[in-house]
């Protein structure tokens, strides 16, 4: 079995708690709180006001530009207010609050389970539908999907890679989605191939999901395009876009370039399923499947949650917060973030809720770096985390930039492996944020200078 | 013997020739540098703290020599004395800048501001700031990891382990502003030291609505505006649910301090003496009013 070539490690996958648990619906809330910023890019503008009646699937906030995604009403009812709420990190966040009344959907949405396999839409129309449905990458990055499916000029897509790796420990929602909705996912792959004008796709699945591999090996025979299942050796962070491209087609994304430079477009399985629903059934993104799990959770499983439902309700559906909980993490244990507030609505980014007991979640006291080089070994981007983190501590931003801090994918391998428990990624992340700011300022200054020069010339 | 003489002569001639060339080149490419820059640099403290806004003391010296007036230039470390000396060297009048000092505008001590979460990552305010709102319910206040302490070149600011907040040593602080620049929450402000150390400032920057702010921190400014009404000099403005005292207008009378229901307004000791008097007077008035009410009732 193949895997990526640089770094990586294999943490215990802990998937047994929620694996193979059928997807169940979490009850609708009485009040839905829909955040306006659920993706990377420009924030959305609300198009409803207090007192408006909305149906499920109706646009309530419009995209604020190409790099943005519409937000739809996940419930039907009356808009109570557009307000600022406190997000899971204790920071303010704008949201539309809807009082739920019944569950009425827009009439054009097909809610039946019928599988529609003929793809009528033309490429342009497909991308338009994806954009209108507000679909973003559901793997965690939340990058608007229509942007990814429109390669920038000078780049050409050659193949599609479906990310069905789910390398984060504990999370099982993608796995379960594959088992329950395989047919739809295959049609989704064909739809994306058509939109991109290509006929070759790969599905990368890690070897710890043999049933999904077997199922898809059967299913790909039905696909219109040439789809190949690529079983991958267990290795974290295989789900990283750059790592997956390397593992599947053996090409490396150059530093600073977009993955499309290798000719590959990567999409997560859950995104592909959402694309199927948007294009074939007119169903916008109003819910998602998420894993609620943890060693002491009484009812761990995979839950389909309407956006806007409070995570408290989702946790309650899984049996509530266990006594011994030390941290509640949004996402997986490697890349997820501990939440300071769980009265936060579920949204496009919430891929899972992990309730870790205190014994598993407290960090140990950091000690001095002993230059063992383990962090360098595991870094999948070939960086030197021990050095970068020291530079971050000493605020040496220029040096961090020279040492490619911007390449860090924040996978956490270095921090996980460090025998001295050094908070490596904490410093690197700070460096990334600061250097990113410096780079943006520099780009803006260069642009302003170029424009000034142009204006001068005209005179 | 012959060899020695020949080498001596060649080397001697070569040396003279090169010296002449060096001299000519040096004359041709000479960069004129104002000798006053060195003089000015000599009177500067040499701390290279950047408090003046220039990269190091040399940068400040160059700026002083180039400037047509010293009004907008100030070395916070050396203060008026140093600026006076520079003025003498350059033959200009130095502006008499008011002495300034750093103040910490947060009173969210461990007692006032209960923790809602525990942070166990790297000890840096900047990292916490990038990550989330902080360990308490107040997302505006001090994060308590001491980034300000580590940047102070004058050993003038220290964490108080009891309160979990930084404290400025007025004797040592030169108002270079390094701490204020570093603080990711912008909790530290450089304010006028005030006559006889009399200073009054709102020790809170929480922009949340009163109820929310109060819940997060007992000493929060709730934006009620009582201080604004009490101030006779129009020094106080309330915006975004938080009051701010303009140090240019404030006369340190202490009226607002006595008015504030949460104790968010901080005053230095000389002012506190006045405030106590105001409070005592108020208590006496209240008692008199109560007694009067009782007598009328009777
Ligand atoms: S978090 Fe960044 S530096 Fe650390 S291993 Fe991952 S990519 Fe490398
Ligand atoms: S004042 Fe600012 S820099 Fe200093 S400890 Fe508080 S948050 Fe950190
Ligand atoms: S306390 Fe702040 S302003 Fe005062 S000397 Fe130190 S860094 Fe400069
Ligand atoms: S009286 Fe106190 S709480 Fe009210 S606005 Fe003034 S400082 Fe804030």
């Amino acid at each position: 079995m193949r895997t990526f070539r640089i770094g990586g490690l294999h943490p215990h996958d802990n998937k047994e708690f929620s694996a193979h648990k059928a997807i169940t619906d979490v009850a609708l809330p009485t009040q839905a709180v829909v955040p306006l910023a659920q993706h990377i890019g420009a924030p959305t503008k609300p198009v409803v006001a207090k007192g408006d009646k909305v149906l499920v699937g109706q646009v309530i906030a419009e995209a604020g530009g190409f790099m943005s995604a519409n937000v739809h009403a996940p419930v039907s009812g009356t808009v109570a207010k557009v307000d600022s709420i406190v997000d899971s990190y204790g920071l303010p966040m704008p949201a539309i609050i809807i009082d739920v009344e019944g569950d009425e959907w827009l009439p054009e949405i097909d809610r039946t389970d019928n599988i529609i396999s003929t793809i009528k839409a033309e490429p342009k129309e497909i991308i338009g539908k994806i954009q209108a449905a507000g679909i973003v990458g559901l793997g965690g990055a939340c990058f608007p999907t229509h942007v990814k499916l429109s390669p920038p000029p000078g780049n050409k897509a050659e193949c599609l890679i479906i990310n069905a790796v789910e390398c984060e420990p504990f999370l099982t929602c993608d796995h379960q989605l594959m088992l329950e909705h395989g047919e739809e996912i295959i049609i989704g792959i064909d739809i994306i191939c058509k939109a991109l004008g290509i006929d070759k796709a790969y599905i990368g699945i890690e070897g710890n999901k043999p049933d999904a591999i077997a199922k898809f090996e059967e299913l790909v025979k039905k696909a219109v395009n040439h789809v190949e299942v690529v079983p991958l050796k267990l290795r974290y962070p295989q789900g990283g876009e750059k790592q997956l491209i390397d593992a599947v087609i053996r090409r490396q994304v150059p530093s600073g370039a977009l993955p499309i430079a290798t000719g590959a477009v990567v999409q997560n399985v859950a995104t592909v399923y959402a694309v199927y629903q948007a294009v074939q059934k007119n169903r916008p993104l109003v819910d998602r499947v998420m894993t609620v799990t943890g060693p002491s959770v009484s009812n761990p499983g995979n839950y389909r949650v309407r956006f806007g439902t409070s995570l408290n309700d989702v946790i309650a559906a899984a049996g509530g917060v266990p006594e011994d909980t030390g941290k509640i993490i949004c996402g997986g244990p490697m890349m997820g973030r501990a939440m300071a507030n769980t009265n936060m609505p579920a949204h496009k980014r919430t891929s899972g809720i992990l309730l870790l007991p205190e014994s598993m979640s407290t960090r140990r006291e950091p000690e001095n770096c002993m230059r063992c080089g383990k962090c360098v070994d595991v870094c999948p981007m070939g960086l030197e985390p021990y050095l970068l983190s020291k530079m971050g501590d000493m605020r040496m931003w220029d040096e961090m930039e020279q040492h490619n801090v911007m390449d860090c994918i924040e996978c956490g391998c270095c921090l996980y492996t460090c025998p001295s428990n050094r908070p490596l990624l904490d410093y690197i992340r700070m460096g990334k944020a600061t250097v990113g700011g410096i780079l943006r300022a520099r780009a803006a200054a260069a642009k302003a200078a170029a424009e000034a020069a142009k204006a001068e010339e005209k005179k | 013997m012959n060899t020695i003489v020949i080498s001596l002569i060649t080397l001697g001639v070569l040396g003279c020739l090169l010296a002449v060339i060096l001299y000519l080149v040096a004359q041709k490419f000479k960069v004129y540098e104002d000798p006053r820059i060195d003089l000015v640099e000599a009177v500067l403290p040499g701390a290279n703290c950047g408090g003046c806004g220039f990269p190091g003391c040399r940068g400040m010296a160059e700026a002083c020599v180039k400037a047509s007036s010293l009004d907008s230039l100030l070395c916070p470390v050396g203060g008026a004395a140093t600026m006076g000396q520079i003025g003498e060297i350059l033959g200009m009048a130095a502006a008499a800048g008011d002495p300034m000092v750093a103040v910490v505008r947060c009173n969210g001590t461990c007692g006032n501001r209960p923790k809602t979460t525990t942070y166990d990552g790297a000890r840096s305010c900047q990292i916490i700031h990038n990550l989330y709102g902080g360990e308490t319910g107040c997302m505006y206040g001090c994060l308590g990891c001491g980034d300000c302490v580590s940047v102070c070149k004058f050993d003038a600011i220290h964490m108080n382990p009891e309160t979990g907040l930084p404290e400025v040593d007025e004797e040592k602080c030169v108002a270079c502003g390094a701490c204020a620049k570093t603080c990711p929450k912008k909790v530290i402000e450089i304010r006028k030291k005030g006559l006889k150390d009399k200073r009054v400032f709102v020790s809170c920057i929480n922009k949340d609505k009163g109820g929310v702010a109060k819940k997060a921190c007992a000493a929060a400014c709730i934006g009620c505006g009582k201080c604004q009404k009490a101030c006779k000099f129009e020094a106080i403005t309330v915006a975004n649910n938080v009051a701010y005292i303009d140090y240019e207008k404030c006369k340190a009378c202490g009226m607002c301090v006595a008015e504030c229901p949460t104790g968010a307004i901080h005053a230095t000791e000389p002012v506190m003496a006045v405030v106590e008097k105001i409070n005592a007077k108020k208590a006496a008035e209240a008692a008199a009013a109560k007694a009067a009410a009782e007598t009328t009732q009777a």
Side-chain angles (χ1 to χ4, degrees), chain A residues 205-218:
Chain A
I205 311 180
E206 276 197 344
N208 58 354
K209 298 181 253 302
D211 47 352
I213 296 178
K215 185 175 166 132
F216 271 82
E217 254 155 13
E218 270 316 299

Side-chain angles (χ1 to χ4, degrees), chain B residues 202 220-228 238 242-243 259-262 264-265:
Chain B
V202 181
C221 168
I222 53 174
C224 64
K226 281 190 179 165
C227 51
Q228 191 176 20
V238 180
V242 59
E259 242 357 274
C260 179
T262 65
I265 305 185

Side-chain angles (χ1 to χ4, degrees), chain A residues 89 92 327 337 363 395 426, chain B residues 120 122 131-133 139 147:
Chain A
Y89 312 118
K327 274 184 192 163
R337 259 164 90 174
R363 292 214 204 172
R395 297 169 179 256
D426 294 14
Chain B
D120 60 1
L131 204 59
Y132 78 126
M139 54 165 270
D147 282 11

Side-chain angles (χ1 to χ4, degrees), chain B residues 202-282:
Chain B
V202 181
S203 186
C204 179
I205 52 170
N206 189 319
K207 295 195 182 79
D208 280 334
K209 289 198 187 95
V212 183
K214 189 86 216 255
K215 208 173 139 209
C217 175
C221 168
I222 53 174
C224 64
K226 281 190 179 165
C227 51
Q228 191 176 20
K229 284 196 202 100
C231 183
K232 296 197 185 77
F233 308 100
E234 293 186 342
I236 305 184
T237 39
V238 180
N240 296 325
N241 303 309
V242 59
Y244 178 77
I245 304 181
D246 183 347
Y247 53 75
E248 298 290 355
K249 291 185 188 156
C250 173
K251 300 263 189 288
C253 67
M255 291 305 281
C256 55
V257 187
E259 242 357 274
C260 179
T262 65
I265 305 185
H266 184 91
T268 47
E269 255 159 50
V271 187
M272 272 329 267
V274 184
V275 175
E276 258 145 46
K277 268 185 220 150
I278 302 176
N279 277 340
K281 200 173 143 201
K282 262 198 201 160

Side-chain angles (χ1 to χ4, degrees), chain A residues 236-237 243 375 378-385 388 405 407-415 424-425 428 432:
Chain A
Y236 177 86
Q243 282 66 35
C375 53
V378 296
C379 177
M381 298 307 292
L383 304 175
E384 292 169 292
L388 286 172
V405 70
D407 279 352
C408 170
I409 55 167
E410 305 184 23
C411 64
C413 286
C414 48
L415 194 142
L424 298 164
L425 181 52
I428 297 177
K432 254 184 96 172

